[in-house]
Amino acid sequence: MSEKRARQQQKRKRNNKNKGRIDSHKKEGSKLISPFNQIPNTAYMSWMNDRLPCMVWGGLLINGIGREQAIEVFRQIGIHVGNLFCEVGDRSCNLPRVGIYGLSTLDDDLQDKYFKVLFTDERIVDALKPLILFKDLPLSEKWIEYLGDVSGNERQLWTALADAVAILLDHQSQEATDCRWAYMIPIVNSGRLQLQTEEQYKEYTEYPNYEDQRKVRPFIRATEMQLGGGMMNDEYFQGKKAWSADFWNECKDNTVCLASASERSNIDFDLIKTISSVRGIWADLSDHFIETDKFTHIQAKRDASFGFCFYALTVAKEGLASSGKLVTAKLALRMLAEIYITFKYLISVRNEKLWDIYRSYGSGQAKLTFLKLDEILEDKPGYIKRENVEALANEDMYMDFQDIDLGNWAKTDLRKMSQVADCKDVYDAYYSWPSSYAHGQWCAVRDTVFTTCYNPLHRLHRIPRLAPRYEDGAENDLILLLNKVLDLLNEVYPSFEKRAELVQKFES
Ligand SMILES: [Zn+2]
C-alpha cells in the first residue's frame, strides 16, 4: 500500500510544483533568477526535511482515528495548551509549540496538559505507537508512559509510520495542511501570534469549516512556515534540526529501499520498413546529385548542401536503428538539429563566400587533428586513421597553405544562427534539451539511470534503476528533422521530392 500511496503523493507533488513562467525570472548576467530567490535573505526550514518529523504525530493520528476526529483532538490541544500558556505570566518557553521537538522545550505544566488532552481514547495509543520506534525521541520517557513498548510489532509499526509519512510528504496536501494547522493553533490561542483581523482568527479557530478553504489553507501554511521554521530562535532551530536528522536517519537505518520495476520498452513503429524507407532515399539522392552536377571544380555550396542531406540520412538511420529510444537517439536529434540550422543559416545569409568558409574551417580541423596525432598525442586513439585525416586535410589544398580557425566557423554560435535563419523553434525544441544528454548534465544522468525509491520513509531519494530508462520515443522527431533538411535541398537544388516516413506496425 505504501508504494501506491507514495506514488500518488509524488505525482501530486509534481503537479503542484510552481511552474514559474520564464518571464517571471530576472536575468542577471547569464543566470535567470527564479521569482522566489529574488526576495533577499530567504532562509527557511524545509517542510519535508525539518518540520514534518515534528508533526508526524499528526499524520499518525489522522490515519489512526480518521481526519475529522483527529482535527477535533488538534483543536482541543490548541485550546487547552494555548489557554494554559497565557494563564501563567512568567514562562521560560516563548511559544506553545506542539511539534515533537517543540514539546520538549515547553514548561512541565504545558507538557502535562498536552499529554492529558491527547490521550483520551485507547485508539490514540494504537495510532501513535510508532513514535516509540525512535531511540532519540525527545521526551521519550513521557511517550513510553502513555504508549507502552514496541512489544514485537516493529514491522507493523514501521509500516504505519510509512503510511503516515506518505500523506505528509507533500507540504500542500490536505493532511500536511491539517498538521501545519495543528502546530499553529495552540500558538494562535495563546495570543502570541497577532492576527490582523477577527476574520483571520476565525479562519484559524474554526478550521476547516469557516470560509473558503482555498484561501484559508495557503494562509495557514504561510504562517506555519515562518513560526515552524524557528525564525529568530536559534536554539529552537538547532534542536529541531537535530531531531529531524535523527528521525530520517533512523527511518533509513531500519527500513529498506523500494524500487519499482522498469517500464517495458516497446518499439512503436515498424523498424525494418522505416529504416529501409530512409535507405531508399540515399540512392535517389545520389541520382539527383549526378543529374544536377555540371562541373568538376570545387563547388562548396553544392557539396555542402548534398553532403548535409546524406549526413542527415546517416544520422537519422542510426537514431532509428536504436529504436528511437536509446540515449543515442537523442544525440542523433541534436545532430540533425545542428545540421538543419547550419544549412538553413548558410542559405539565409546569401553570401556565397560563407560556403567556402564553412568548408575550409572543416579542412582546418582535419589539419589540426593530424598535427596533434603527429606531434602531441603519445597514445594514439584507435578510432582515427592517420592517413585518412591526412588525406582529408590535404584534399582541397596542400595543408601547409591551410589556416586553422580555432573559434566557431561562422564567428557566431548556433543559437544566433537559428535566429538569423528564422528557425529558433528548432533550436529550442531539438537542440537545447538533447544537449543536456550530450554533455552528461545532471538531469540527463538522473533521468537515464536513477529512479525514485518509493519507501516514504526515505524522503523520495534516488536509487539506481534496474536498467536505463528507454521510454521516450524520438522516432517521429528524427523523421521530421530529416525531412526538413531534405526540404532545404529542394529549395536550393530543385526538385527533390522524396521524403522519409515512419512506417507504422501492421495491426493484424
Ligand atoms: Zn530508499
Side-chain angles (χ1 to χ4, degrees):
M1 129 83 228
S2 303
E3 182 178 338
K4 194 178 161 205
R5 212 156 186 181
R7 232 193 265 246
Q8 286 168 347
Q9 285 296 318
Q10 204 202 11
K11 198 173 166 195
R12 201 183 313 163
K13 193 179 163 198
R14 240 183 276 137
N15 292 342
N16 284 346
K17 243 181 203 159
N18 181 2
K19 292 188 180 76
R21 299 174 61 84
I22 294 179
D23 284 351
S24 65
H25 288 63
K26 189 174 148 198
K27 192 162 188 302
E28 275 183 17
S30 61
K31 247 186 177 177
L32 291 176
I33 310 294
S34 88
F36 192 74
N37 290 334
Q38 291 168 26
I39 307 164
N41 302 327
T42 41
Y44 56 93
M45 273 185 154
S46 127
W47 162 254
M48 182 169 75
N49 293 336
D50 305 313
R51 300 184 341 256
L52 180 158
C54 271
M55 288 311 294
V56 71
W57 68 269
L60 288 166
L61 203 61
I62 291 170
N63 274 353
I65 65 171
R67 180 175 181 238
E68 268 180 40
Q69 289 189 46
I71 284 178
E72 285 321 305
V73 174
F74 298 150
R75 201 186 313 280
Q76 288 307 311
I77 290 173
I79 292 169
H80 290 286
V81 175
N83 289 348
L84 180 61
F85 181 90
C86 56
E87 275 167 24
V88 179
D90 188 23
R91 289 236 170 252
S92 57
C93 54
N94 71 340
L95 282 177
R97 301 185 192 268
V98 293
I100 285 179
Y101 171 73
L103 277 170
S104 71
T105 67
L106 297 188
D107 297 337
D108 287 347
D109 60 329
L110 291 170
Q111 289 178 0
D112 292 342
K113 182 62 85 183
Y114 168 87
F115 284 103
K116 209 171 140 225
V117 178
L118 175 60
F119 287 107
T120 48
D121 186 332
E122 198 49 36
R123 290 180 311 148
I124 294 176
V125 173
D126 292 336
L128 299 188
K129 200 137 189 163
L131 291 178
I132 51 171
L133 290 165
F134 291 91
K135 289 195 290 289
D136 296 315
L137 183 72
L139 289 186
S140 60
E141 280 179 21
K142 276 226 158 98
W143 284 109
I144 288 168
E145 196 182 303
Y146 286 92
L147 297 174
D149 56 25
V150 176
S151 57
N153 280 339
E154 268 193 63
R155 269 181 81 104
Q156 278 162 287
L157 295 183
W158 282 114
T159 305
L161 187 78
D163 289 345
V165 170
I167 59 170
L168 299 184
L169 281 177
D170 174 5
H171 69 119
Q172 293 186 341
S173 72
Q174 177 178 271
E175 294 86 352
T177 307
D178 292 342
C179 290
R180 296 170 72 172
W181 169 76
Y183 179 88
M184 288 302 296
I185 189 66
I187 299 175
V188 169
N189 282 327
S190 75
R192 292 303 299 261
L193 174 71
Q194 296 296 324
L195 295 172
Q196 303 294 316
T197 60
E198 181 67 23
E199 188 79 358
Q200 288 183 342
Y201 184 74
K202 276 182 139 181
E203 283 170 7
Y204 252 108
T205 51
E206 293 177 29
Y207 175 87
N209 307 315
Y210 183 74
E211 267 290 352
D212 182 358
Q213 291 302 301
R214 281 170 302 181
K215 186 185 98 186
V216 174
R217 288 193 193 123
F219 169 59
I220 288 171
R221 291 194 291 256
T223 43
E224 182 273 337
M225 188 165 84
Q226 291 182 352
L227 286 165
M231 204 173 57
M232 312 289 278
N233 188 336
D234 193 53
E235 201 181 323
Y236 172 74
F237 183 90
Q238 298 304 339
K240 187 164 181 165
K241 278 246 174 210
W243 154 244
S244 309
D246 286 342
F247 176 85
W248 291 117
N249 287 343
E250 288 199 45
C251 285
K252 179 74 170 70
D253 288 348
N254 289 288
T255 59
V256 294
C257 287
L258 302 172
S260 59
S262 294
E263 305 232 350
R264 278 191 53 155
S265 170
N266 292 320
I267 304 175
D268 309 318
F269 60 101
D270 190 324
L271 195 136
I272 308 274
K273 284 187 181 154
T274 300
I275 287 184
S276 73
S277 113
V278 173
R279 195 177 285 144
I281 298 174
W282 186 285
D284 289 5
L285 192 63
S286 292
D287 292 344
H288 186 54
F289 179 90
I290 305 288
E291 281 161 18
T292 54
D293 197 21
K294 295 193 182 72
F295 311 106
T296 51
H297 66 260
I298 290 174
Q299 302 170 75
K301 180 178 176 182
R302 249 188 74 81
D303 287 351
S305 300
F306 279 87
F308 283 139
C309 294
F310 283 114
Y311 196 53
L313 281 169
T314 309
V315 172
K317 198 177 70 183
E318 290 182 18
L320 290 164
S322 76
S323 72
K325 289 196 164 66
L326 303 196
V327 174
T328 44
K330 289 195 183 66
L331 306 191
L333 274 184
R334 181 182 187 262
M335 290 169 76
L336 285 174
E338 185 154 7
I339 293 165
Y340 174 75
I341 293 166
T342 307
F343 192 6
K344 191 149 195 270
Y345 173 76
L346 280 162
I347 296 170
S348 310
V349 171
R350 295 176 190 280
N351 177 355
E352 294 299 312
K353 274 196 183 141
L354 205 59
W355 296 89
D356 295 326
I357 293 170
Y358 162 80
R359 186 175 177 116
S360 78
Y361 176 89
S363 302
Q365 292 304 300
K367 176 180 172 182
L368 183 63
T369 303
F370 174 76
L371 295 180
K372 282 185 179 168
L373 269 183
D374 217 33
E375 296 165 14
I376 301 174
L377 291 172
E378 284 183 11
D379 297 322
K380 316 287 183 212
Y383 77 99
I384 310 178
K385 274 218 166 70
R386 191 175 174 279
E387 312 75 52
N388 185 31
V389 182
E390 187 179 13
L392 286 170
N394 279 313
E395 191 169 66
D396 287 352
M397 68 169 92
Y398 186 48
M399 84 164 107
D400 285 0
F401 297 101
Q402 176 75 53
D403 292 333
I404 298 170
D405 197 339
L406 297 173
N408 171 281
W409 70 272
K411 305 274 182 276
T412 179
D413 58 52
L414 199 70
R415 188 171 166 277
K416 288 191 191 120
M417 281 190 211
S418 74
Q419 285 167 329
V420 172
D422 195 21
C423 54
K424 176 79 174 6
D425 54 335
V426 170
Y427 179 89
D428 287 338
Y430 297 108
Y431 189 78
S432 305
W433 186 237
S435 290
S436 290
Y437 290 78
H439 297 311
Q441 283 170 356
W442 166 244
C443 280
V445 171
R446 187 257 175 262
D447 183 40
T448 308
V449 306
F450 287 115
T451 185
T452 303
C453 164
Y454 286 112
N455 180 347
L457 298 176
H458 290 188
R459 279 190 275 186
L460 309 176
H461 71 141
R462 282 139 301 278
I463 50 175
R465 293 176 177 278
L466 299 172
R469 191 177 80 88
Y470 293 143
E471 290 161 32
D472 311 330
E475 57 272 16
N476 283 301
D477 305 312
L478 289 165
I479 298 282
L480 179 134
L481 285 176
L482 168 62
N483 286 340
K484 280 173 92 69
V485 174
L486 296 175
D487 288 345
L488 291 178
L489 183 84
N490 190 43
E491 230 175 79
V492 283
Y493 294 99
S495 82
F496 188 73
E497 305 287 347
K498 194 99 190 258
R499 296 294 176 268
E501 63 167 323
L502 193 76
V503 183
Q504 297 301 330
K505 274 185 178 165
F506 177 67
E507 303 281 344
S508 56

